[in-house]
């Protein structure tokens, strides 16, 4: 077990200078700020450890190549962003990465995948309290006009309890790039905020910009997602030539949390097909897929 003492740092988020300057170490970190496929961080195996109360991201990997993360458990005493901010579980970038048989209880993203990245498999993982799993089209230094490609990602056998989202693709309108060929399969949700969140504007929920360059998503396969949520989903993409396309949703069957009413999907500039879903997303028609 690696102890981070993050509970001393999380309250400093209310004083941003003190927080960012003094409380940014990750408990396990490979390849610092290397936004390329290959940066010499190769043949990595991390197995059988617990990362507890990280001040910042629990596991950070940049430029990973042929990495296996197995039976690693991330835990924060704070639950959710208000109690344990910026405590990502496995914050990764690179190629040929496997994450399996892991658990995450934290205050931010469970497994955020940053560009440029290709060939990632995440399987048999549980996420509690924080956010979901998926591509984040976001450049390393958050520079407007930059971004990259995230492709060939498979997430299967994930369980979510009390998280803000489950299926995630996100960015900001000021970035560029694409998430493509991403599969989400066999998810079980319990008390999740929003089941499916594909949002190219992240906190900027007003959406479309009609810009000539914007982040996008294409070729998303979302299948066999069941459980309870407050809202079914949101698919918000750019209004220009960079909308989201090729989205397939099959057997996504959601129920309201106890005592609540399940909100319908909210969609903007996205095309796809849906089959055997409840509720049906985005007024998409069933199709042979």
């Amino acid at each position: 077990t690696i102890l981070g003492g993050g509970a001393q740092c999380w309250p400093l988020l209310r004083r941003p200078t003190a927080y960012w300057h003094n409380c940014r170490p990750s408990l396990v970190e490979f390849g610092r700020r290397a936004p390329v496929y290959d940066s010499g961080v190769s043949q990595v195996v991390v197995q059988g450890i617990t990362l507890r109360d990280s001040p910042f991201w629990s596991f950070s990997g940049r430029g990973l190549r042929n990495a296996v993360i197995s039976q690693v458990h991330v835990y924060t005493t704070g639950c959710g962003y208000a109690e344990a901010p910026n405590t990502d579980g496995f914050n990764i970038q690179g190629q040929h990465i496997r994450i399996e048989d892991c658990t995450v209880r934290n205050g931010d993203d469970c497994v955020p995948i940053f560009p440029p990245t290709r060939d990632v498999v995440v399987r048999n993982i549980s996420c509690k309290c924080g956010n979901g799993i998926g591509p984040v089209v976001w450049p390393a230094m958050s520079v407007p006009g930059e971004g990259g490609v995230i492709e060939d990602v498979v997430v299967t056998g994930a369980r979510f309890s009390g998280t803000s989202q489950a299926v995630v693709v996100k960015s900001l309108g000021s970035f560029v790039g694409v998430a493509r060929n991403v599969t989400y399969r066999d998810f079980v949700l319990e008390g999740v905020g929003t089941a499916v969140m594909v949002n190219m504007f992240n906190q900027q929920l007003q959406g479309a910009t009609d810009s000539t360059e914007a982040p996008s998503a294409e070729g998303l396969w979302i299948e066999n997602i069941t459980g309870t949520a407050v809202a079914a989903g949101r698919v918000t993409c750019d209004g220009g030539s960079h909308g989201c396309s090729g989205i397939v949703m099959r057997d996504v069957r959601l129920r309201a949390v106890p005592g609540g009413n399940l909100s319908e999907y909210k969609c903007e500039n996205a095309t796809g097909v849906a089959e055997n879903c409840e509720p049906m997303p985005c007024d998409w028609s069933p199709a042979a897929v």
Side-chain angles (χ1 to χ4, degrees):
T1 298
I2 303 176
L3 303 177
Q8 301 176 34
C9 292
W10 303 327
L12 296 179
L13 184 63
R14 301 181 185 89
R15 298 161 49 202
T17 300
Y19 175 77
W20 291 110
H21 287 183
N22 300 321
C23 291
R24 295 196 64 182
S26 300
L27 294 189
V28 175
E29 184 169 6
F30 293 93
R32 190 171 182 82
R33 300 292 184 183
V36 295
Y37 284 128
D38 290 318
S39 66
V41 186
S42 62
Q43 310 303 326
V44 174
V45 176
V46 181
Q47 184 176 30
I49 62 174
T50 297
L51 307 177
R52 187 179 180 94
D53 286 339
S54 177
F56 195 59
W57 303 340
S58 299
F59 178 99
S60 173
R62 290 294 178 271
L64 297 176
R65 178 185 173 95
N66 298 324
V68 176
I69 304 161
S70 176
Q71 299 174 32
V72 175
H73 307 290
V74 172
Y75 183 90
T76 63
T77 52
C79 178
Y81 193 87
E83 296 182 8
N86 298 313
T87 50
D88 288 356
F90 302 100
N91 188 304
I92 59 170
Q93 179 272 317
Q95 62 176 333
H96 314 316
I97 302 169
R98 303 291 181 268
I99 300 175
E100 56 191 9
D101 303 325
C102 294
T103 63
V104 177
R105 173 198 149 107
N106 67 340
D108 212 326
D109 296 330
C110 186
V111 185
I113 303 167
F114 282 76
T117 288
R118 61 174 175 243
D119 184 23
V120 173
V121 175
V122 181
R123 59 191 172 200
N124 191 27
I125 187 170
S126 70
C127 307
K128 295 183 179 181
C129 293
N131 300 330
I133 298 176
V136 182
V137 184
W138 200 294
M141 303 305 293
S142 300
V143 178
E146 295 186 3
V149 176
I150 303 165
E151 59 187 346
D152 303 330
V153 175
V154 175
V155 185
T156 182
R159 301 168 301 283
F160 298 86
S161 177
T163 56
S164 297
Q165 309 97 23
V167 172
V168 171
V169 181
K170 63 182 179 179
S171 185
L172 286 179
S174 58
F175 301 149
V176 299
V178 60
R180 64 179 173 227
N181 300 333
V182 183
T183 297
Y184 308 84
R185 182 182 293 121
D186 301 335
F187 285 14
V188 176
L189 283 52
E190 180 182 359
V192 168
T194 302
V196 178
M197 177 64 82
V198 179
N199 185 5
M200 295 296 104
F201 302 90
N202 203 27
Q203 290 91 355
Q204 302 165 342
L205 292 177
Q206 64 269 26
T209 63
D210 292 306
S211 59
T212 57
E213 291 188 333
S216 64
E218 58 188 46
L220 306 182
W221 189 285
I222 305 169
E223 182 178 25
N224 193 27
I225 312 295
T226 61
T228 59
V230 175
R234 184 180 188 115
V235 185
T236 304
C237 303
D238 181 66
S241 60
H242 298 273
C244 297
S245 62
I247 303 174
V248 176
M249 297 181 65
R250 299 185 67 180
D251 300 314
V252 180
R253 304 188 66 82
L254 304 169
R255 308 184 311 277
V257 297
N261 294 308
L262 182 68
S263 298
E264 299 286 325
Y265 288 91
K266 298 180 179 179
C267 305
E268 188 175 3
N269 303 312
T271 60
V273 295
E275 184 177 49
N276 194 31
C277 295
E278 180 62 39
M280 287 293 285
C282 308
D283 296 323
W284 294 338
S285 300
V289 293

